[in-house]
């Protein structure tokens, strides 16, 4: 009693200011910004806990995946039936999205009918409840004269917590809002509805989607605002949903794209996370509820409880003599006598005090003007705390989205529904201001839901239909790029045939099979200093290689790279080789070796006919080179002439090799089993050690080499086949396999995208295999596919930009970036924005899929060709099983995240009797050229 007396004495001094009296009494409900930021941080931690598979079971905030992957893009259309079940009444609707005439703004028309749910069904059996819903649906179809013969897509708005394993599946976790129907909890709600529809009979409906009212609100607002990625309900209950990055949601498979997560944030605090913010009045409301200890945040925020919180505060103050001169009426003691509608009325701008007085009269309370002001202030504090708590939760969600996307600022729209937000005169404004204060880095627009959750459910279904249709069309578009095992076997067979044909002395062959006059790989005895020169792309490279016992010493330190300007690449041959000679002179000057006559190996990465190791007649330019007066000429001779014209230094050019041969030689220095070289970069090619007897093109050399390679018998003892093979004369063949298909042999797998790329290239109808594989062309193939998809309205909202129409804009390096497993879709969008392509999340997923299809096919084709080569070597040697190493170079193989893996899998599948190891070249074809020169010089010395 003494404590009560002190309280009364204290507040009697404040009689002249009723608002201060209430503020002191309700100080615990006043939340300043630091406290709200703390609550927001706690809620974000709870979100992450709910998203994690490890901690979800213990999380209060369940973060339920909805399997809604996309918000509307404005192209949705169709007729849909909707069942909206979430309260004591439910609605049946027909929703027409962008259909018919007279459609109002937003492109959606709705017809609806509300059906009551008898009290006994709320607590009866689930079967009876869903039978009632189904019978009402049938009644609606008859009343609206909607055909029962036609199949109708149906969406279900189900405003209770469900765990969804698919868009059209959901297990009820628990009932709320006075629903207690038996036999439904833990069961699939959609299946229960389907069963009821079957029992009712006489209609054909397909339940395509089940959504929460919060998700439906987001979708409704997203139809007119593409920035809407958050849904918020503040009504009888409260909840929020948002679009989360899929790779953060452990409870579902996949990591591409986004999915809407239903937070079920009303349960925030059920684990005690809000205990230091809960007042005695909150505890009293909770204790008297149907679910004590559950939905703590909801009981502090939502319309079902705000009026009761006000009543309890006013009752306590009256009992303490702080209101109504200590008088308490029976009505004030009665639960539910003050409603949220009363709270809204008391806070009206003009008539709030008058409304307050009328409400108090209805409660049989005699009030003074100060009492009315005080009670109005109680109402304000309770509702203000509610909007503050909602703002803190929203701040956490928006911070999560901003951090997910690595943005400094975020532009986003929140779709909102609910009676508290819509009818309370001050609630929305307060909420908006607090959100802006808590997260100034987010530019947030709030949009009120027009049409409610029913429209949103229809839009979820419309989006699902759009995505399904889009999926079919994208699959059809990419289908020609997806090769079957049978097709790959055919490519292998055709490559094998082309290899055999190219080895013959007569008859045409698209695969040239050029002899390199390299008769052996390094054996480890090579030594000395060699100059390695390399021309194969946009750069010329000079390298000094010091060999000691076959090992490369300091080769990486002693090299320089010189760019080759386009005007040189496409000028005269004399200008090109003068440029090379100038670069060599500069490098020798740099190394201080201009006076030494060094032996040199020249890597020349273009098709050449060779009559010896140190001569090479250019067959044709590739890779955008067009220098005149070179084709049909000996490139070694042209380089020697350029060096003479310069008259500054002299070189002993011992060998000229293709970059593929150089790669094989470089890797063979490390692995003696390396007898194949592969380039998968800007261009593509393969070389391998072929038995000299099979090369009909070089009859003269064959006889000499075969005599030199006659086997010595070892006392008649039988050797292993592998040992027998060691003495058989061989020569490295530069296949120039990029020409496979120039004779039409690949026409059945060449798509119209490939044909477009070929026709726009510098060498139409040439190098067809290379144009399916190499880095110079893959980006352009991707651009052609993207152009086709965009023209079909499946990408970039159907807008064909100038950037997308620009040949060559989509460099192959972008494929590697976009397909990286570490690259989030937001970063994919960033890459596309660099190209002037404004993409959505869905666009980014499709672009990544297109890149994957093109690069996967390239790796498979490369693998099919290589399988033909290793099989030929195995059969040459009469082996049941072949162990061999492939030396590899090229940016596509080394830098693309998946190319090497797909290539290796394809070889394993198509050549199962061969164990093929892959050794990436460290020194590249430049060191290989030096090793080739060393091997050739050693042979001459013998």
């Amino acid at each position: 009693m003494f404590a009560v007396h002190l309280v009364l004495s204290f507040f009697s001094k404040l009689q002249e200011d009723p608002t201060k009296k209430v503020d002191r009494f309700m100080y615990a409900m006043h939340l300043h910004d630091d406290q709200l930021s703390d609550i927001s941080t706690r809620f974000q931690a709870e979100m992450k806990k709910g998203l994690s598979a490890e901690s979800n079971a213990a999380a209060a905030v369940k973060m339920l995946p909805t399997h809604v992957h996309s918000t509307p893009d404005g192209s949705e259309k169709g007729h849909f039936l909707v069942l909206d079940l979430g309260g004591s009444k439910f609605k049946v609707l027909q929703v027409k999205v962008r259909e018919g005439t007279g459609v109002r703004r937003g492109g959606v028309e709705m017809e609806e009918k509300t059906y009551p749910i008898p009290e006994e069904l709320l607590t009866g059996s689930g079967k009876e409840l869903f039978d009632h819903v189904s019978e009402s649906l049938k009644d609606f179809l008859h009343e609206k004269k909607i055909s029962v013969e036609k199949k109708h897509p149906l969406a279900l708005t189900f405003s209770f917590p469900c765990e969804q394993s698919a868009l059209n599946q959901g297990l009820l976790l628990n009932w709320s809002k006075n629903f207690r129907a038996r036999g439904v909890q833990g069961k699939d709600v959609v299946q229960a509805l389907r069963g009821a529809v079957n029992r009712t009979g006489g209609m054909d409906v397909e339940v395509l989607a089940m959504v929460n009212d919060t998700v439906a609100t987001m979708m409704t607002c997203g139809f007119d605002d593409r920035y809407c990625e958050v849904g918020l309900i503040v009504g009888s209950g409260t909840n929020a949903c948002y679009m989360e990055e899929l790779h953060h949601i452990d409870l579902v498979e996949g990591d591409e794209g986004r999915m809407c997560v239903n937070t079920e944030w009303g349960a925030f605090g059920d684990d005690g996370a809000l205990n230091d913010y809960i007042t005695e009045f909150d505890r009293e409301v909770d204790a008297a509820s149907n679910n004590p200890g559950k939905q703590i945040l909801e009981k502090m925020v939502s319309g079902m409880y705000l009026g009761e919180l006000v009543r309890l505060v006013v009752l306590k103050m009256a009992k303490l003599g702080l209101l109504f001169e200590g008088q308490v009426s029976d009505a004030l003691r009665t639960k539910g006598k003050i409603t949220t509608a009363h709270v809204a009325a008391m806070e009206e701008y003009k008539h709030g005090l008058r409304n307050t007085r009328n409400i108090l009269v209805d409660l049989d309370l005699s009030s003074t003007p100060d009492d009315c002001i005080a009670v109005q202030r109680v109402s304000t504090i309770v509702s203000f705390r509610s909007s503050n708590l909602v703002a803190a939760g929203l701040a956490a969600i928006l911070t999560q989205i901003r951090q997910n996307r690595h943005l400094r600022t975020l532009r986003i729209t929140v779709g909102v529904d609910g009676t508290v937000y819509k009818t309370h005169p001050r609630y929305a404004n307060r909420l908006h201001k607090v959100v802006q204060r808590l997260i100034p880095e987010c530019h947030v627009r709030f949009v009120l839901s027009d049409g409610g959750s029913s429209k949103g459910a229809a839009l979820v279904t419309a989006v699902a239909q759009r995505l399904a249709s889009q999926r079919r069309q994208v699959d059809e578009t990419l289908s020609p790029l997806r090769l079957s095992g049978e097709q790959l076997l055919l490519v292998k067979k055709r490559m094998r045939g082309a290899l055999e044909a190219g080895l013959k002395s007569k008859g045409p062959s698209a695969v040239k099979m050029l002899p390199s006059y390299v008769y052996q790989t390094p054996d480890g005895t090579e030594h000395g200093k060699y100059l390695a020169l390399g021309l194969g792309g946009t750069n010329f490279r000079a390298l000094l290689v010091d060999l000691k016992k076959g090992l490369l010493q300091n080769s990486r330190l002693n090299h320089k790279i010189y760019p080759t300007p386009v005007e040189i690449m496409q000028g005269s041959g004399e200008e090109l080789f003068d440029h090379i000679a100038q670069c060599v002179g500069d490098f020798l000057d740099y190394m201080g070796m201009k006076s030494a006559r060094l032996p040199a190996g020249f890597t020349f990465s273009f098709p050449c006919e060779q009559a010896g190791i140190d001569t090479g007649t250019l067959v044709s330019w590739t890779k955008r080179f067009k220098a005149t007066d070179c084709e049909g000429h000996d490139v070694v001779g042209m380089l020697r002439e350029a060096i003479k014209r310069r008259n500054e230094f002299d070189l002993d050019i011992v060998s000229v090799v293709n970059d593929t041969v150089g790669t094989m030689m470089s890797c063979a220095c490390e692995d003696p089993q390396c007898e194949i070289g592969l380039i998968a970069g800007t261009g593509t090619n393969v070389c391998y050690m072929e038995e000299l007897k099979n090369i009909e093109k070089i009859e003269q050399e064959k006889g000499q080499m075969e005599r030199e390679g006659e086997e010595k018998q070892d006392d008649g003892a039988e050797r292993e086949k592998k040992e027998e093979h060691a003495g058989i004369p061989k020569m490295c063949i530069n296949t120039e396999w990029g020409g496979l298909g120039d004779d039409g042999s690949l026409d059945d797998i060449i798509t119209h995208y490939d044909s477009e790329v070929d026709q726009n290239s510098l060498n139409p109808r040439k190098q067809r295999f290379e144009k399916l594989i190499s880095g110079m062309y893959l980006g352009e193939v991707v651009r052609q596919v993207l152009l086709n998809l965009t023209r079909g309205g499946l990408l970039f909202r159907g807008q064909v930009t100038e950037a997308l129409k620009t040949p060559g804009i989509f460099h192959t390096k972008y494929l590697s970036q976009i397909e990286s497993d570490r690259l989030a879709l937001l970063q994919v969008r960033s890459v596309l924005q660099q190209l002037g392509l404004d993409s959505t999340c869905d666009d980014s997923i499709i672009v990544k899929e297109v890149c994957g299809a093109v690069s996967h096919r390239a790796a498979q084709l490369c693998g099919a060709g290589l399988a033909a080569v290793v099989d030929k070597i195995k059969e040459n040697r009469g082996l049941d099983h072949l162990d061999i190493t492939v030396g590899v170079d090229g940016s596509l193989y080394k830098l693309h995240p998946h190319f090497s893996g797909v290539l290796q899998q394809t070889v394993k599948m198509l050549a199962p009797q061969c164990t093929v190891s892959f050794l990436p070249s460290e020194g590249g074809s430049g060191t290989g050229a030096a090793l080739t020169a060393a091997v050739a010089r050693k042979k001459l010395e013998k």
Side-chain angles (χ1 to χ4, degrees), residues 535-537 604-608 618 620-623 625 658 734 736:
L535 180 70
F604 190 74
S605 306
F606 304 92
C608 286
L618 178 64
S620 60
W621 284 118
T622 59
K623 307 173 192 173
F625 273 74
N658 182 275
N734 166 23
E736 289 296 337

Side-chain angles (χ1 to χ4, degrees), residues 328-498:
V328 178
S329 66
D330 289 340
L332 187 58
R333 288 191 177 92
T334 305
K335 179 182 175 182
K337 281 294 183 177
I338 297 181
T339 66
T340 299
H342 290 144
V343 174
M346 285 190 275
E347 292 191 67
E348 277 189 17
Y349 289 99
K350 290 185 178 179
H351 307 296
L353 282 175
R354 186 180 69 187
N355 292 341
T356 304
R357 182 177 180 282
N358 291 337
I359 290 165
L360 295 177
V361 168
D362 290 342
L363 292 171
D364 298 326
L365 293 167
S366 298
S367 59
T368 66
D370 278 359
D371 288 334
C372 291
I373 292 170
V375 171
Q376 186 186 51
R377 182 64 176 169
V378 170
S379 179
T380 298
I381 291 172
V382 169
S383 64
F384 207 160
R385 184 187 68 158
S386 169
S387 62
N388 279 343
L389 288 170
V390 170
L394 269 182
I397 288 173
L398 298 176
T399 299
Q400 172 88 352
I401 294 172
R402 184 179 62 81
Q403 290 173 348
N404 283 348
R405 302 178 189 181
H406 308 289
L407 298 174
R408 284 189 295 178
T409 60
L410 173 70
R411 176 185 175 184
I412 199 162
T413 298
V414 178
V416 197
D417 204 358
T419 52
V420 173
Y421 184 91
K422 289 198 288 191
T423 63
H424 191 288
R426 303 171 191 265
Y427 196 97
N429 191 45
R430 289 170 182 163
L431 172 62
H432 303 169
K433 286 182 177 178
V434 177
V435 168
Q436 188 175 10
R437 283 207 314 272
L438 292 178
I439 43 169
E441 61 276 16
C442 296
H443 306 293
V444 189
R445 178 175 180 242
F446 290 83
V447 174
L448 193 60
S449 173
D450 174 23
S453 57
S454 305
K455 175 180 172 182
L459 287 168
V460 169
T461 309
V463 168
Q465 283 196 330
R466 169 175 62 81
L467 292 178
S469 172
Q470 183 185 69
R471 177 74 268 149
R472 286 192 298 272
Q473 292 177 73
V474 170
D475 285 344
E476 287 170 7
T477 301
L478 298 182
S479 176
L481 296 167
R482 291 175 172 144
L483 302 177
S484 66
E486 290 77 12
Q487 287 174 303
L488 292 172
L489 279 169
L490 278 173
V491 172
K492 174 189 170 184
K493 181 179 177 182
R494 290 165 187 169
M495 178 64 79
R496 177 64 185 272

Side-chain angles (χ1 to χ4, degrees), residues 678-918:
L678 168 66
I679 297 290
T682 310
T684 184
N685 196 13
V686 153
C687 70
Y688 72 102
M689 298 301 291
E690 176 60 84
E691 295 187 6
L692 205 61
K693 65 183 180 183
N694 296 330
I695 311 172
E696 296 182 10
K697 295 180 175 183
I698 49 171
E699 290 294 336
Q700 185 177 350
E701 289 82 352
K702 279 171 62 179
Q704 181 183 347
M705 290 298 297
E706 284 169 359
R707 285 191 296 274
E708 290 176 2
E710 285 179 357
E711 291 188 60
K712 295 179 181 179
Q713 299 300 315
D714 189 14
D715 299 326
E718 188 175 323
R719 297 183 180 184
E720 293 286 339
K721 286 182 179 178
K722 291 180 184 177
E723 292 175 354
E724 288 176 359
H725 171 73
I728 294 176
K730 298 185 287 288
M731 180 186 287
C732 182
I733 292 293
N734 166 23
T735 67
E736 289 296 337
W737 77 354
L740 181 70
D742 291 1
D743 55 0
S745 62
L746 295 179
D747 284 358
D748 55 337
I749 66 165
I750 287 175
T751 69
H752 67 276
Y753 313 116
D754 302 311
S755 297
E756 283 288 332
V757 171
D758 176 56
Q759 288 167 20
N760 295 322
S761 69
L762 292 174
N763 55 346
R765 296 174 298 284
K766 301 289 184 185
Q767 299 295 100
R768 300 307 299 271
F769 191 59
E770 182 170 72
K771 288 169 185 172
L772 302 175
I773 291 176
S774 74
M776 181 173 286
Y777 302 101
L778 295 189
E780 188 61 10
V781 176
V782 167
R783 187 186 71 85
Q784 290 292 340
V785 179
L786 299 183
L787 200 54
N788 180 280
L789 289 169
T790 305
R791 285 170 175 157
L794 300 172
L795 265 182
F796 310 130
R797 301 177 194 86
Q799 297 172 6
V800 179
T801 61
E802 287 302 314
L804 196 56
K805 289 190 284 187
T806 305
I809 190 174
F810 208 99
H811 301 303
T812 298
K813 69 176 182 179
Y814 296 130
L815 272 74
S816 296
Q817 292 176 15
I818 286 170
E819 289 187 69
S820 170
D821 294 328
R822 298 186 300 275
L823 199 66
L825 284 179
L826 187 72
Q827 293 163 293
V828 174
R829 292 177 71 180
S830 176
V831 171
L832 294 174
Q833 282 169 355
Q834 292 172 34
L835 298 172
L837 302 170
D838 184 21
S839 67
T840 64
C841 177
D842 291 339
D843 290 336
S844 300
I845 292 171
I846 293 173
V847 169
K848 191 167 186 176
E849 188 175 358
V850 171
C851 291
V854 171
S855 64
H856 191 87
R857 181 188 66 158
Q860 285 183 314
L861 289 170
C862 193
L866 194 57
V869 173
V870 297
D871 260 4
K872 183 177 192 322
I873 295 172
K874 179 178 73 69
E875 291 176 23
N876 281 351
R877 301 179 186 181
L879 298 173
D880 294 328
H881 187 88
L882 174 70
D883 290 305
I884 197 164
T885 297
V886 179
V888 199
D889 203 1
S891 55
L892 199 57
Y893 184 90
K894 288 183 172 179
L895 301 180
H896 190 280
H898 306 300
F899 188 95
S900 61
V902 175
L903 165 62
Q904 292 170 27
Q905 288 167 10
T906 306
V907 173
K908 188 175 182 179
M909 178 182 76
L910 298 180
Q913 286 81 37
C914 301
T915 299
V916 184
S917 301
F918 290 81

